Amino acid sequence: GQTPREQLPEDPTDEQLLAAWRPFFANAGTYEVKGNEMHTKIIVDKDPNATAAQGEANWTFEVDDDTMVRTITNQAGVTFKVKYERVE
Protein backbone atom coordinates (compact mmCIF):
# COMPACT_ATOMS: atom_id res chain seq x y z
CA GLY A 1 0.00 0.00 0.00
CA GLN A 2 0.89 3.63 -0.20
CA THR A 3 -0.15 4.58 3.33
CA PRO A 4 0.47 3.04 6.75
CA ARG A 5 -2.16 0.61 7.93
CA GLU A 6 -4.27 1.50 10.95
CA GLN A 7 -3.66 -0.34 14.19
CA LEU A 8 -6.07 -3.20 14.81
CA PRO A 9 -8.39 -2.93 17.81
CA GLU A 10 -8.04 -5.42 20.65
CA ASP A 11 -10.88 -7.56 19.26
CA PRO A 12 -10.81 -7.03 15.46
CA THR A 13 -13.63 -8.09 13.16
CA ASP A 14 -13.04 -10.55 10.33
CA GLU A 15 -13.20 -7.65 7.87
CA GLN A 16 -10.52 -5.72 9.78
CA LEU A 17 -8.27 -8.77 9.91
CA LEU A 18 -8.69 -9.36 6.19
CA ALA A 19 -7.95 -5.70 5.39
CA ALA A 20 -4.74 -5.92 7.44
CA TRP A 21 -3.59 -9.32 6.12
CA ARG A 22 -4.61 -9.31 2.44
CA PRO A 23 -2.02 -6.76 1.16
CA PHE A 24 0.83 -8.63 2.87
CA PHE A 25 2.96 -10.75 0.52
CA ALA A 26 5.65 -13.15 1.68
CA ASN A 27 7.35 -16.35 0.71
CA ALA A 28 10.57 -18.25 1.27
CA GLY A 29 12.45 -20.72 -0.83
CA THR A 30 15.64 -21.36 -2.74
CA TYR A 31 17.47 -19.63 -5.54
CA GLU A 32 20.37 -20.31 -7.86
CA VAL A 33 22.32 -17.65 -9.77
CA LYS A 34 24.29 -18.37 -12.95
CA GLY A 35 25.73 -15.28 -14.62
CA ASN A 36 22.83 -12.85 -15.00
CA GLU A 37 20.11 -15.52 -14.67
CA MET A 38 18.31 -16.56 -11.51
CA HIS A 39 16.10 -19.57 -10.87
CA THR A 40 13.83 -19.38 -7.82
CA LYS A 41 11.61 -21.98 -6.19
CA ILE A 42 9.02 -21.17 -3.54
CA ILE A 43 8.98 -23.61 -0.61
CA VAL A 44 6.66 -21.72 1.79
CA ASP A 45 4.13 -19.04 0.82
CA LYS A 46 1.20 -17.20 2.36
CA ASP A 47 -0.77 -18.24 -0.74
CA PRO A 48 -1.14 -22.06 -0.85
CA ASN A 49 -1.61 -21.93 -4.63
CA ALA A 50 1.94 -20.64 -5.06
CA THR A 51 3.47 -23.74 -3.48
CA ALA A 52 0.98 -26.13 -5.10
CA ALA A 53 2.07 -24.90 -8.53
CA GLN A 54 5.72 -25.53 -7.52
CA GLY A 55 6.30 -21.76 -7.55
CA GLU A 56 9.30 -21.90 -9.85
CA ALA A 57 10.48 -18.93 -11.89
CA ASN A 58 13.40 -17.93 -14.07
CA TRP A 59 14.43 -14.36 -14.62
CA THR A 60 17.38 -12.27 -15.70
CA PHE A 61 18.92 -9.21 -14.14
CA GLU A 62 21.34 -6.42 -14.97
CA VAL A 63 23.34 -4.49 -12.38
CA ASP A 64 24.72 -1.02 -13.09
CA ASP A 65 26.31 0.72 -10.10
CA ASP A 66 23.47 1.16 -7.54
CA THR A 67 20.67 -0.01 -9.86
CA MET A 68 19.42 -3.50 -10.66
CA VAL A 69 16.81 -4.22 -13.34
CA ARG A 70 15.05 -7.58 -13.15
CA THR A 71 13.24 -8.94 -16.22
CA ILE A 72 10.49 -11.42 -15.45
CA THR A 73 8.26 -13.48 -17.72
CA ASN A 74 5.35 -14.94 -15.79
CA GLN A 75 3.52 -18.23 -16.45
CA ALA A 76 1.04 -16.42 -18.72
CA GLY A 77 3.92 -15.31 -20.96
CA VAL A 78 3.75 -11.65 -19.90
CA THR A 79 7.17 -9.99 -19.58
CA PHE A 80 7.78 -7.03 -17.29
CA LYS A 81 10.74 -5.25 -15.69
CA VAL A 82 11.28 -4.24 -12.08
CA LYS A 83 13.90 -1.60 -11.23
CA TYR A 84 15.61 -1.51 -7.82
CA GLU A 85 17.75 1.41 -6.71
CA ARG A 86 20.01 1.45 -3.67
CA VAL A 87 19.23 4.30 -1.30
CA GLU A 88 21.33 5.57 1.55
Side-chain angles (χ1 to χ4, degrees):
Q2 299 299 318
T3 59
R5 293 179 289 167
E6 293 183 24
Q7 294 289 320
L8 289 172
E10 189 170 317
D11 190 20
T13 66
D14 288 344
E15 291 79 17
Q16 289 170 318
L17 290 171
L18 186 59
W21 182 248
R22 180 174 278 160
F24 178 74
F25 173 82
N27 62 40
T30 63
Y31 68 92
E32 181 178 1
V33 176
K34 291 183 181 177
N36 72 329
E37 297 180 359
M38 180 176 273
H39 175 81
T40 60
K41 181 175 182 178
I42 296 172
I43 305 294
V44 178
D45 197 291
K46 174 189 157 196
D47 176 3
N49 294 337
T51 53
Q54 299 300 313
E56 295 190 42
N58 294 301
W59 47 277
T60 61
F61 62 93
E62 298 173 26
V63 177
D64 182 22
D65 198 29
D66 287 340
T67 303
M68 180 175 87
V69 177
R70 182 170 72 149
T71 303
I72 307 159
T73 302
N74 65 19
Q75 293 176 340
V78 177
T79 299
F80 57 97
K81 293 185 179 214
V82 179
K83 181 178 179 181
Y84 302 91
E85 292 186 48
R86 181 186 310 247
V87 295
E88 299 289 332

Coordinates of all heavy atoms in Angstrom, one line a residue:
G1 N 0.8 -1.2 0.0 CA 0.0 0.0 0.0 C 0.8 1.3 0.0 O 2.1 1.2 0.2
Q2 N 0.2 2.4 -0.2 CA 0.9 3.6 -0.2 C 0.8 4.4 1.1 O 1.4 5.4 1.3 CB 0.3 4.5 -1.3 CG 0.5 3.9 -2.7 CD 1.9 3.7 -3.1 OE1 2.7 4.6 -2.9 NE2 2.2 2.5 -3.7
T3 N 0.0 3.9 2.0 CA -0.2 4.6 3.3 C 0.0 3.5 4.4 O -0.3 2.4 4.2 CB -1.5 5.3 3.4 OG1 -2.6 4.3 3.3 CG2 -1.7 6.3 2.4
P4 N 0.4 4.0 5.6 CA 0.5 3.0 6.7 C -0.9 2.5 7.1 O -1.9 3.1 7.0 CB 1.0 3.9 7.9 CG 1.6 5.1 7.3 CD 0.8 5.3 6.0
R5 N -0.9 1.2 7.5 CA -2.2 0.6 7.9 C -2.5 1.1 9.3 O -1.6 1.4 10.1 CB -2.0 -0.9 7.9 CG -1.9 -1.4 6.5 CD -1.7 -2.9 6.5 NE -0.4 -3.3 7.0 CZ 0.0 -4.5 7.4 NH1 -0.8 -5.5 7.3 NH2 1.2 -4.7 7.9
E6 N -3.8 1.1 9.6 CA -4.3 1.5 10.9 C -4.0 0.3 11.9 O -4.0 -0.8 11.5 CB -5.8 1.8 10.9 CG -6.1 3.1 10.1 CD -7.6 3.4 10.2 OE1 -8.2 3.0 11.1 OE2 -8.0 4.1 9.2
Q7 N -3.8 0.7 13.2 CA -3.7 -0.3 14.2 C -5.0 -1.1 14.4 O -6.1 -0.5 14.3 CB -3.3 0.3 15.5 CG -1.9 1.0 15.5 CD -0.8 0.0 15.5 OE1 -0.9 -1.1 16.1 NE2 0.2 0.2 14.7
L8 N -4.9 -2.4 14.6 CA -6.1 -3.2 14.8 C -6.6 -3.0 16.2 O -5.7 -2.9 17.2 CB -5.8 -4.7 14.6 CG -5.5 -5.1 13.2 CD1 -5.1 -6.6 13.1 CD2 -6.8 -5.0 12.3
P9 N -7.9 -3.0 16.4 CA -8.4 -2.9 17.8 C -8.1 -4.2 18.6 O -7.7 -5.2 18.0 CB -9.9 -2.7 17.6 CG -10.2 -3.2 16.3 CD -8.9 -3.0 15.4
E10 N -8.3 -4.2 19.8 CA -8.0 -5.4 20.7 C -8.8 -6.6 20.2 O -8.3 -7.8 20.2 CB -8.4 -5.1 22.1 CG -7.9 -6.2 23.0 CD -7.9 -5.8 24.5 OE1 -7.6 -4.7 24.8 OE2 -8.4 -6.6 25.3
D11 N -10.0 -6.5 19.7 CA -10.9 -7.6 19.3 C -11.3 -7.3 17.8 O -12.5 -6.9 17.6 CB -12.1 -7.8 20.2 CG -12.8 -9.0 19.9 OD1 -12.3 -9.9 19.3 OD2 -14.0 -9.1 20.3
P12 N -10.5 -7.4 16.8 CA -10.8 -7.0 15.5 C -11.9 -7.9 14.8 O -12.0 -9.1 15.2 CB -9.5 -7.2 14.7 CG -8.7 -8.2 15.5 CD -9.1 -8.0 16.9
T13 N -12.6 -7.3 13.9 CA -13.6 -8.1 13.2 C -12.9 -8.9 12.1 O -11.7 -8.6 11.7 CB -14.7 -7.2 12.5 OG1 -14.0 -6.4 11.5 CG2 -15.4 -6.3 13.5
D14 N -13.6 -9.8 11.5 CA -13.0 -10.6 10.3 C -12.7 -9.6 9.2 O -11.6 -9.8 8.5 CB -14.0 -11.6 9.8 CG -14.2 -12.8 10.8 OD1 -13.3 -12.9 11.7 OD2 -15.2 -13.5 10.6
E15 N -13.5 -8.6 8.9 CA -13.2 -7.6 7.9 C -11.9 -6.9 8.2 O -11.1 -6.6 7.3 CB -14.4 -6.7 7.7 CG -15.6 -7.3 7.1 CD -16.4 -8.1 8.1 OE1 -16.3 -7.9 9.4 OE2 -17.3 -9.0 7.7
Q16 N -11.7 -6.5 9.4 CA -10.5 -5.7 9.8 C -9.3 -6.6 9.7 O -8.2 -6.1 9.2 CB -10.7 -5.2 11.2 CG -11.6 -4.1 11.3 CD -11.9 -3.7 12.8 OE1 -12.1 -4.6 13.6 NE2 -12.0 -2.4 13.1
L17 N -9.4 -7.8 10.0 CA -8.3 -8.8 9.9 C -7.9 -9.0 8.4 O -6.7 -9.0 8.1 CB -8.6 -10.1 10.6 CG -8.6 -10.1 12.1 CD1 -9.2 -11.4 12.6 CD2 -7.3 -9.8 12.7
L18 N -8.9 -9.2 7.6 CA -8.7 -9.4 6.2 C -8.1 -8.1 5.6 O -7.1 -8.2 4.8 CB -10.0 -9.7 5.5 CG -9.9 -10.1 4.0 CD1 -9.0 -11.3 3.8 CD2 -11.2 -10.3 3.4
A19 N -8.5 -6.9 5.9 CA -8.0 -5.7 5.4 C -6.5 -5.6 5.8 O -5.7 -5.0 5.0 CB -8.8 -4.5 5.9
A20 N -6.1 -6.0 7.0 CA -4.7 -5.9 7.4 C -3.9 -7.0 6.8 O -2.7 -6.8 6.5 CB -4.7 -6.1 9.0
W21 N -4.4 -8.2 6.6 CA -3.6 -9.3 6.1 C -3.5 -9.4 4.6 O -2.5 -9.8 4.1 CB -4.2 -10.6 6.7 CG -3.5 -11.8 6.3 CD1 -3.9 -12.8 5.5 CD2 -2.2 -12.3 6.8 NE1 -3.0 -13.8 5.4 CE2 -1.9 -13.5 6.2 CE3 -1.2 -11.7 7.6 CZ2 -0.7 -14.2 6.4 CZ3 0.0 -12.4 7.8 CH2 0.2 -13.6 7.2
R22 N -4.6 -9.1 3.9 CA -4.6 -9.3 2.4 C -3.5 -8.6 1.7 O -2.9 -9.3 0.8 CB -5.9 -8.9 1.9 CG -6.0 -9.1 0.4 CD -7.4 -8.8 -0.2 NE -8.2 -10.0 0.0 CZ -9.5 -10.0 0.0 NH1 -10.2 -8.8 -0.2 NH2 -10.2 -11.1 0.2
P23 N -3.1 -7.4 2.0 CA -2.0 -6.8 1.2 C -0.6 -7.3 1.4 O 0.3 -7.0 0.7 CB -2.1 -5.3 1.5 CG -3.1 -5.1 2.5 CD -3.7 -6.4 2.9
F24 N -0.5 -8.1 2.5 CA 0.8 -8.6 2.9 C 1.2 -9.8 1.9 O 0.5 -10.7 1.7 CB 0.8 -9.1 4.3 CG 2.1 -9.7 4.8 CD1 3.1 -8.9 5.1 CD2 2.2 -11.1 5.0 CE1 4.3 -9.5 5.5 CE2 3.3 -11.6 5.4 CZ 4.4 -10.8 5.7
F25 N 2.4 -9.7 1.4 CA 3.0 -10.7 0.5 C 4.3 -11.3 1.1 O 5.2 -10.5 1.4 CB 3.2 -10.1 -0.9 CG 3.9 -11.0 -1.8 CD1 3.1 -12.0 -2.5 CD2 5.2 -10.9 -2.1 CE1 3.8 -12.8 -3.4 CE2 5.9 -11.8 -3.0 CZ 5.1 -12.7 -3.6
A26 N 4.4 -12.6 1.2 CA 5.6 -13.1 1.7 C 5.8 -14.6 1.2 O 4.8 -15.3 1.1 CB 5.7 -13.1 3.2
N27 N 7.0 -15.0 1.0 CA 7.3 -16.4 0.7 C 8.8 -16.6 1.0 O 9.6 -15.7 1.3 CB 7.0 -16.8 -0.7 CG 7.8 -16.0 -1.8 OD1 8.9 -15.7 -1.6 ND2 7.1 -15.6 -2.8
A28 N 9.2 -17.9 1.0 CA 10.6 -18.3 1.3 C 10.9 -19.5 0.4 O 10.0 -20.2 0.1 CB 10.8 -18.6 2.7
G29 N 12.1 -19.6 0.0 CA 12.5 -20.7 -0.8 C 13.9 -20.7 -1.1 O 14.8 -20.3 -0.3
T30 N 14.2 -21.2 -2.3 CA 15.6 -21.4 -2.7 C 15.9 -20.6 -4.0 O 14.9 -20.2 -4.7 CB 16.0 -22.8 -3.0 OG1 15.2 -23.3 -4.1 CG2 15.8 -23.7 -1.8
Y31 N 17.1 -20.3 -4.3 CA 17.5 -19.6 -5.5 C 18.9 -20.1 -6.0 O 19.7 -20.5 -5.2 CB 17.4 -18.1 -5.4 CG 18.5 -17.5 -4.5 CD1 19.7 -17.1 -5.1 CD2 18.3 -17.4 -3.2 CE1 20.7 -16.6 -4.3 CE2 19.3 -16.8 -2.4 CZ 20.5 -16.4 -2.9 OH 21.4 -15.9 -2.1
E32 N 19.1 -20.0 -7.3 CA 20.4 -20.3 -7.9 C 20.7 -19.2 -8.9 O 19.8 -18.9 -9.7 CB 20.3 -21.7 -8.5 CG 21.6 -22.1 -9.1 CD 21.5 -23.5 -9.7 OE1 20.5 -24.1 -9.7 OE2 22.6 -24.0 -10.2
V33 N 21.9 -18.7 -8.8 CA 22.3 -17.7 -9.8 C 23.4 -18.2 -10.7 O 24.4 -18.8 -10.2 CB 22.8 -16.4 -9.0 CG1 23.4 -15.4 -10.0 CG2 21.8 -15.8 -8.1
K34 N 23.3 -18.0 -12.0 CA 24.3 -18.4 -12.9 C 24.4 -17.2 -13.9 O 23.5 -16.9 -14.7 CB 23.9 -19.6 -13.7 CG 23.9 -20.9 -12.9 CD 23.6 -22.1 -13.8 CE 23.6 -23.4 -12.9 NZ 23.2 -24.5 -13.7
G35 N 25.5 -16.5 -13.8 CA 25.7 -15.3 -14.6 C 24.7 -14.2 -14.3 O 24.6 -13.8 -13.1
N36 N 23.9 -13.8 -15.3 CA 22.8 -12.9 -15.0 C 21.4 -13.5 -15.0 O 20.4 -12.8 -15.2 CB 22.9 -11.7 -16.0 CG 22.4 -12.2 -17.4 OD1 22.6 -13.4 -17.8 ND2 21.8 -11.3 -18.1
E37 N 21.4 -14.8 -14.8 CA 20.1 -15.5 -14.7 C 19.9 -16.1 -13.3 O 20.8 -16.5 -12.6 CB 20.1 -16.7 -15.7 CG 20.2 -16.2 -17.1 CD 20.2 -17.4 -18.1 OE1 20.1 -18.6 -17.6 OE2 20.2 -17.1 -19.3
M38 N 18.6 -16.0 -12.8 CA 18.3 -16.6 -11.5 C 17.1 -17.5 -11.6 O 16.2 -17.2 -12.3 CB 18.0 -15.4 -10.5 CG 17.6 -15.9 -9.1 SD 17.3 -14.6 -7.9 CE 19.0 -14.4 -7.4
H39 N 17.2 -18.6 -11.0 CA 16.1 -19.6 -10.9 C 15.7 -19.6 -9.4 O 16.5 -19.8 -8.5 CB 16.6 -21.0 -11.3 CG 15.5 -22.0 -11.1 ND1 14.5 -22.2 -12.0 CD2 15.3 -22.9 -10.1 CE1 13.7 -23.1 -11.6 NE2 14.1 -23.6 -10.4
T40 N 14.4 -19.4 -9.2 CA 13.8 -19.4 -7.8 C 12.8 -20.5 -7.7 O 12.1 -20.8 -8.7 CB 13.2 -18.0 -7.4 OG1 12.1 -17.7 -8.4 CG2 14.2 -16.9 -7.5
K41 N 12.6 -21.0 -6.5 CA 11.6 -22.0 -6.2 C 11.0 -21.7 -4.8 O 11.7 -21.6 -3.8 CB 12.2 -23.4 -6.2 CG 11.1 -24.4 -5.9 CD 11.7 -25.8 -6.0 CE 10.6 -26.8 -5.8 NZ 11.0 -28.2 -5.9
I42 N 9.7 -21.5 -4.8 CA 9.0 -21.2 -3.5 C 8.8 -22.5 -2.8 O 8.3 -23.5 -3.3 CB 7.7 -20.5 -3.8 CG1 7.9 -19.1 -4.5 CG2 6.9 -20.3 -2.5 CD1 6.6 -18.5 -5.0
I43 N 9.2 -22.5 -1.5 CA 9.0 -23.6 -0.6 C 7.8 -23.3 0.3 O 7.0 -24.2 0.6 CB 10.3 -23.9 0.2 CG1 11.5 -24.1 -0.7 CG2 10.1 -25.1 1.1 CD1 11.5 -25.3 -1.6
V44 N 7.7 -22.1 0.9 CA 6.7 -21.7 1.8 C 6.1 -20.4 1.3 O 6.8 -19.5 0.9 CB 7.2 -21.5 3.2 CG1 6.1 -21.1 4.2 CG2 7.9 -22.8 3.7
D45 N 4.8 -20.3 1.3 CA 4.1 -19.0 0.8 C 2.8 -18.8 1.6 O 2.2 -19.8 2.0 CB 3.8 -19.1 -0.7 CG 3.6 -17.8 -1.3 OD1 2.5 -17.2 -1.0 OD2 4.4 -17.4 -2.1
K46 N 2.5 -17.5 1.8 CA 1.2 -17.2 2.4 C 0.1 -17.8 1.5 O -1.0 -18.2 2.0 CB 1.1 -15.7 2.5 CG -0.3 -15.2 3.0 CD -0.4 -13.7 2.9 CE -1.8 -13.3 2.8 NZ -2.0 -12.0 2.4
D47 N 0.2 -17.8 0.2 CA -0.8 -18.2 -0.7 C -0.5 -19.7 -1.0 O 0.5 -20.1 -1.7 CB -0.7 -17.4 -2.0 CG -1.6 -17.9 -3.1 OD1 -2.4 -18.8 -2.9 OD2 -1.6 -17.3 -4.2
P48 N -1.4 -20.6 -0.6 CA -1.1 -22.1 -0.8 C -1.1 -22.4 -2.3 O -0.4 -23.4 -2.7 CB -2.3 -22.8 -0.2 CG -3.4 -21.7 0.0 CD -2.7 -20.4 0.1
N49 N -1.7 -21.6 -3.2 CA -1.6 -21.9 -4.6 C -0.2 -21.8 -5.2 O 0.2 -22.4 -6.1 CB -2.6 -21.0 -5.4 CG -4.0 -21.3 -5.1 OD1 -4.4 -22.4 -4.6 ND2 -4.9 -20.4 -5.3
A50 N 0.6 -20.9 -4.6 CA 1.9 -20.6 -5.1 C 2.8 -21.9 -4.9 O 3.6 -22.2 -5.7 CB 2.6 -19.4 -4.4
T51 N 2.7 -22.5 -3.7 CA 3.5 -23.7 -3.5 C 2.9 -24.9 -4.2 O 3.6 -25.8 -4.6 CB 3.6 -24.0 -2.0 OG1 2.3 -24.1 -1.4 CG2 4.4 -23.0 -1.3
A52 N 1.6 -25.0 -4.4 CA 1.0 -26.1 -5.1 C 1.4 -26.2 -6.6 O 1.6 -27.2 -7.1 CB -0.5 -26.0 -5.0
A53 N 1.6 -25.0 -7.1 CA 2.1 -24.9 -8.5 C 3.6 -25.0 -8.6 O 4.2 -24.6 -9.7 CB 1.6 -23.6 -9.1
Q54 N 4.3 -25.4 -7.6 CA 5.7 -25.5 -7.5 C 6.4 -24.2 -7.4 O 7.6 -24.1 -7.2 CB 6.3 -26.4 -8.7 CG 5.8 -27.8 -8.7 CD 6.1 -28.5 -7.4 OE1 7.2 -28.5 -7.0 NE2 5.2 -29.2 -6.8
G55 N 5.7 -23.1 -7.7 CA 6.3 -21.8 -7.6 C 7.7 -21.6 -8.1 O 8.5 -21.0 -7.4
E56 N 8.0 -22.1 -9.3 CA 9.3 -21.9 -9.9 C 9.3 -20.8 -10.9 O 8.3 -20.6 -11.6 CB 9.8 -23.2 -10.5 CG 10.0 -24.3 -9.5 CD 10.7 -25.5 -10.0 OE1 11.7 -25.3 -10.8 OE2 10.3 -26.6 -9.7
A57 N 10.4 -20.0 -10.9 CA 10.5 -18.9 -11.9 C 11.9 -18.7 -12.3 O 12.9 -19.0 -11.6 CB 10.0 -17.6 -11.3
N58 N 12.1 -18.3 -13.5 CA 13.4 -17.9 -14.1 C 13.3 -16.5 -14.5 O 12.3 -16.1 -15.1 CB 13.8 -18.8 -15.3 CG 14.0 -20.2 -14.9 OD1 14.8 -20.6 -14.1 ND2 13.2 -21.1 -15.5
W59 N 14.4 -15.7 -14.2 CA 14.4 -14.4 -14.6 C 15.9 -13.9 -14.8 O 16.8 -14.6 -14.4 CB 13.7 -13.5 -13.7 CG 13.9 -13.6 -12.2 CD1 13.3 -14.5 -11.4 CD2 14.8 -12.8 -11.4 NE1 13.7 -14.4 -10.1 CE2 14.6 -13.3 -10.1 CE3 15.6 -11.8 -11.6 CZ2 15.3 -12.8 -9.0 CZ3 16.3 -11.2 -10.5 CH2 16.1 -11.8 -9.2
T60 N 16.0 -12.8 -15.5 CA 17.4 -12.3 -15.7 C 17.5 -10.9 -15.0 O 16.5 -10.3 -14.7 CB 17.7 -12.1 -17.2 OG1 16.7 -11.2 -17.7 CG2 17.6 -13.4 -17.9
F61 N 18.7 -10.5 -14.8 CA 18.9 -9.2 -14.1 C 20.2 -8.5 -14.7 O 21.1 -9.2 -15.2 CB 19.0 -9.3 -12.6 CG 20.2 -10.2 -12.1 CD1 21.4 -9.6 -11.8 CD2 20.0 -11.6 -12.0 CE1 22.4 -10.4 -11.4 CE2 21.1 -12.3 -11.6 CZ 22.3 -11.8 -11.3
E62 N 20.2 -7.2 -14.6 CA 21.3 -6.4 -15.0 C 21.6 -5.5 -13.8 O 20.7 -4.9 -13.3 CB 21.0 -5.6 -16.2 CG 20.7 -6.4 -17.4 CD 20.3 -5.5 -18.6 OE1 20.6 -4.3 -18.6 OE2 19.5 -6.0 -19.5
V63 N 22.9 -5.4 -13.5 CA 23.3 -4.5 -12.4 C 24.2 -3.4 -13.0 O 25.2 -3.7 -13.7 CB 24.1 -5.3 -11.3 CG1 24.6 -4.3 -10.2 CG2 23.2 -6.3 -10.7
D64 N 23.9 -2.2 -12.7 CA 24.7 -1.0 -13.1 C 24.9 -0.1 -11.9 O 23.9 0.6 -11.5 CB 24.1 -0.3 -14.3 CG 24.9 0.8 -14.8 OD1 26.1 0.9 -14.5 OD2 24.3 1.7 -15.4
D65 N 26.0 -0.1 -11.3 CA 26.3 0.7 -10.1 C 25.3 0.4 -9.0 O 25.3 -0.7 -8.5 CB 26.3 2.2 -10.5 CG 27.0 3.1 -9.4 OD1 27.9 2.6 -8.7 OD2 26.6 4.2 -9.3
D66 N 24.4 1.4 -8.6 CA 23.5 1.2 -7.5 C 22.1 0.8 -8.0 O 21.1 1.0 -7.3 CB 23.4 2.4 -6.7 CG 24.6 2.6 -5.8 OD1 25.3 1.6 -5.6 OD2 24.9 3.7 -5.3
T67 N 22.0 0.3 -9.3 CA 20.7 0.0 -9.9 C 20.7 -1.5 -10.4 O 21.7 -1.9 -11.0 CB 20.3 0.9 -11.0 OG1 20.4 2.3 -10.5 CG2 19.0 0.6 -11.6
M68 N 19.6 -2.2 -10.1 CA 19.4 -3.5 -10.7 C 18.1 -3.5 -11.4 O 17.1 -3.0 -10.8 CB 19.4 -4.6 -9.6 CG 19.2 -6.0 -10.2 SD 19.4 -7.3 -8.9 CE 17.7 -7.4 -8.3
V69 N 18.1 -4.1 -12.6 CA 16.8 -4.2 -13.3 C 16.6 -5.7 -13.5 O 17.4 -6.4 -14.0 CB 16.9 -3.5 -14.7 CG1 15.6 -3.8 -15.5 CG2 17.1 -2.0 -14.5
R70 N 15.4 -6.2 -13.1 CA 15.0 -7.6 -13.2 C 14.0 -7.7 -14.2 O 13.0 -7.0 -14.2 CB 14.5 -8.0 -11.8 CG 14.1 -9.5 -11.7 CD 13.8 -9.9 -10.3 NE 12.6 -9.3 -9.8 CZ 11.8 -9.9 -8.9 NH1 12.2 -11.1 -8.4 NH2 10.7 -9.4 -8.5
T71 N 14.2 -8.7 -15.2 CA 13.2 -8.9 -16.2 C 12.6 -10.3 -15.9 O 13.3 -11.3 -15.8 CB 13.9 -9.0 -17.6 OG1 14.6 -7.7 -17.8 CG2 12.9 -9.2 -18.7
I72 N 11.3 -10.3 -15.8 CA 10.5 -11.4 -15.4 C 9.5 -11.8 -16.5 O 8.8 -10.9 -17.0 CB 9.7 -11.2 -14.1 CG1 10.7 -10.7 -13.1 CG2 9.0 -12.4 -13.7 CD1 10.1 -9.9 -11.9
T73 N 9.3 -13.0 -16.9 CA 8.3 -13.5 -17.7 C 7.4 -14.4 -16.9 O 8.0 -15.5 -16.4 CB 8.8 -14.2 -19.0 OG1 9.6 -13.2 -19.7 CG2 7.6 -14.6 -19.9
N74 N 6.2 -14.1 -16.7 CA 5.3 -14.9 -15.8 C 4.8 -16.2 -16.6 O 5.0 -16.3 -17.7 CB 4.2 -14.1 -15.1 CG 3.2 -13.6 -16.1 OD1 3.1 -14.0 -17.2 ND2 2.5 -12.6 -15.6
Q75 N 4.0 -17.0 -15.9 CA 3.5 -18.2 -16.5 C 2.5 -18.0 -17.6 O 2.3 -18.8 -18.4 CB 2.9 -19.1 -15.4 CG 3.9 -19.6 -14.4 CD 3.3 -20.4 -13.3 OE1 2.1 -20.3 -13.0 NE2 4.1 -21.2 -12.6
A76 N 2.0 -16.8 -17.6 CA 1.0 -16.4 -18.7 C 1.8 -15.9 -19.9 O 1.2 -15.5 -20.9 CB 0.0 -15.4 -18.2
G77 N 3.1 -15.8 -19.8 CA 3.9 -15.3 -21.0 C 4.1 -13.8 -21.0 O 4.6 -13.3 -22.0
V78 N 3.6 -13.1 -20.0 CA 3.8 -11.6 -19.9 C 5.1 -11.3 -19.3 O 5.5 -11.8 -18.3 CB 2.6 -11.0 -19.0 CG1 2.8 -9.5 -18.9 CG2 1.3 -11.4 -19.6
T79 N 5.9 -10.4 -20.0 CA 7.2 -10.0 -19.6 C 7.1 -8.6 -19.0 O 6.5 -7.7 -19.6 CB 8.2 -10.0 -20.7 OG1 8.3 -11.4 -21.2 CG2 9.6 -9.5 -20.3
F80 N 7.7 -8.4 -17.9 CA 7.8 -7.0 -17.3 C 9.1 -6.8 -16.6 O 9.8 -7.8 -16.4 CB 6.6 -6.8 -16.3 CG 6.5 -7.7 -15.2 CD1 7.0 -7.4 -14.0 CD2 5.8 -9.0 -15.4 CE1 6.9 -8.3 -12.9 CE2 5.7 -9.9 -14.3 CZ 6.3 -9.5 -13.1
K81 N 9.5 -5.6 -16.3 CA 10.7 -5.3 -15.7 C 10.5 -4.6 -14.4 O 9.6 -3.8 -14.2 CB 11.6 -4.3 -16.6 CG 12.0 -5.1 -17.8 CD 13.0 -4.2 -18.7 CE 13.4 -5.0 -19.9 NZ 14.7 -4.7 -20.3
V82 N 11.3 -4.9 -13.4 CA 11.3 -4.2 -12.1 C 12.6 -3.6 -11.8 O 13.7 -4.3 -12.0 CB 11.0 -5.3 -11.0 CG1 10.9 -4.6 -9.6 CG2 9.7 -6.0 -11.3
K83 N 12.6 -2.3 -11.5 CA 13.9 -1.6 -11.2 C 14.1 -1.4 -9.7 O 13.2 -0.9 -9.1 CB 13.9 -0.3 -12.0 CG 15.1 0.6 -11.8 CD 15.0 1.8 -12.6 CE 16.2 2.7 -12.5 NZ 16.0 4.0 -13.3
Y84 N 15.2 -1.7 -9.2 CA 15.6 -1.5 -7.8 C 16.8 -0.5 -7.8 O 17.7 -0.6 -8.5 CB 16.1 -2.8 -7.2 CG 15.1 -3.9 -7.2 CD1 15.0 -4.8 -8.3 CD2 14.1 -4.1 -6.2 CE1 14.1 -5.9 -8.3 CE2 13.2 -5.1 -6.2 CZ 13.2 -6.0 -7.3 OH 12.3 -7.0 -7.4
E85 N 16.7 0.4 -6.9 CA 17.8 1.4 -6.7 C 18.2 1.4 -5.3 O 17.3 1.5 -4.4 CB 17.3 2.8 -7.1 CG 17.1 2.9 -8.7 CD 16.8 4.3 -9.1 OE1 17.5 5.2 -8.7 OE2 15.8 4.5 -9.8
R86 N 19.5 1.4 -5.0 CA 20.0 1.5 -3.7 C 19.8 2.9 -3.1 O 20.1 3.8 -3.8 CB 21.5 1.1 -3.6 CG 22.1 1.1 -2.2 CD 23.6 0.9 -2.3 NE 23.9 -0.3 -3.1 CZ 24.4 -1.4 -2.7 NH1 24.7 -1.5 -1.4 NH2 24.7 -2.4 -3.5
V87 N 19.4 3.0 -1.9 CA 19.2 4.3 -1.3 C 20.0 4.3 0.0 O 20.2 3.3 0.6 CB 17.8 4.7 -1.0 CG1 17.0 4.8 -2.3 CG2 17.1 3.6 -0.1
E88 N 20.5 5.4 0.3 CA 21.3 5.6 1.6 C 20.5 6.2 2.6 O 19.7 7.1 2.4 CB 22.6 6.4 1.3 CG 23.5 5.8 0.2 CD 24.2 4.5 0.7 OE1 24.5 4.4 1.9 OE2 24.5 3.7 -0.2

